[in-house]
Amino acid sequence: GPTPARQYSLFLTNNGGLERQQPLNSSGHSSYVFDPGSPTPSVGGASFNPWNAGIKDQKVLEARSDVLSFTLPPLQEDL
């Protein structure tokens, strides 16, 4: 059967990262302003549109001022 799931805690950092250890300085904040007249488009993932489905480059969307993105460094081992 499948390997049992394990729970992990990840912590947001002030510089857009994710860490396994809780940061010592957790006083930062992140914010954005949502404009309903210019919603963030959906690119990739589950879609009924075969030209938009699957893995897609998200760099253009992540660069928008109304998107927050937090990233882990490349994994050195399986979670």
Side-chain angles (χ1 to χ4, degrees), residues 26-70:
S26 59
S27 63
H29 71 277
S30 298
S31 63
Y32 66 96
V33 176
F34 173 70
D35 177 3
S38 179
T40 304
S42 175
V43 177
S47 175
F48 289 114
N49 178 347
W51 291 277
N52 191 43
I55 299 171
K56 302 290 182 189
D57 188 350
Q58 303 291 322
K59 288 184 186 121
V60 172
L61 297 181
E62 290 173 356
R64 290 175 54 120
S65 63
D66 60 348
V67 172
L68 297 178
S69 179
F70 296 89

Side-chain angles (χ1 to χ4, degrees), residues 15-32:
N15 63 353
L18 289 172
E19 297 287 338
R20 289 186 184 193
Q21 303 269 335
Q22 185 170 6
L24 298 176
N25 177 8
S26 59
S27 63
H29 71 277
S30 298
S31 63
Y32 66 96

